[in-house]
């Protein structure tokens, strides 16, 4: 029997990792911004992020002017940072969720 050398094994593993990563990115990010928001938590969190960005007050999250402390703000801060840099789109508001997937 012929033994495989370490270089061949490493290339095979790297190829497998690259394929799995590409598939994961495709399934997590495909059509991420294609439809608009409905009602629910996603809409609420987007409104909180909008208010953070527009008001500049990132320490006291609000929803329609009412303090909103139902969720830890780390994700909202991350999304607010991206929205500040790239503007507002459905894809941008969902990019952290898609990337985390």
């Amino acid at each position: 029997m012929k033994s495989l050398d370490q270089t061949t094994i490493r290339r095979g593993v790297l190829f497998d990792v690259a394929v799995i990563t590409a598939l994961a990115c495709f399934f997590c990010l495909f059509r991420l911004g294609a439809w608009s928001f409905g009602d629910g938590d996603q809409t609420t969190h987007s409104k909180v992020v909008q208010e953070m960005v527009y008001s500049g007050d990132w320490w006291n999250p609000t929803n329609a002017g009412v303090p909103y402390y139902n969720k830890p703000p780390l994700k909202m801060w991350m999304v607010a940072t991206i929205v500040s840099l790239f503007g507002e789109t459905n894809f941008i508001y969902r990019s952290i969720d898609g990337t985390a997937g």
Side-chain angles (χ1 to χ4, degrees), residues 15-56:
F15 178 76
D16 292 345
V17 169
V19 168
I20 290 170
T21 302
L23 285 171
C25 287
F26 174 77
F27 286 116
C28 289
L29 299 175
F30 180 69
R31 296 181 51 87
L32 194 62
W35 60 90
S36 91
F37 297 122
D39 290 331
D41 289 341
Q42 191 176 42
T43 303
T44 303
H45 295 166
S46 297
K47 288 178 183 177
V48 171
V49 167
Q50 279 180 337
E51 289 188 26
M52 279 182 173
V53 172
Y54 293 151
S55 71

Side-chain angles (χ1 to χ4, degrees), residues 79-89 92 95:
V79 174
T81 301
I82 295 171
V83 166
S84 306
L85 295 172
F86 299 107
E88 295 181 272
T89 65
I92 294 295
S95 61

Side-chain angles (χ1 to χ4, degrees), residues 3-17:
S3 70
L4 294 172
D5 64 342
Q6 292 295 330
T7 307
T8 306
I9 292 172
R10 279 192 212 124
R11 283 184 190 150
V13 169
L14 287 175
F15 178 76
D16 292 345
V17 169

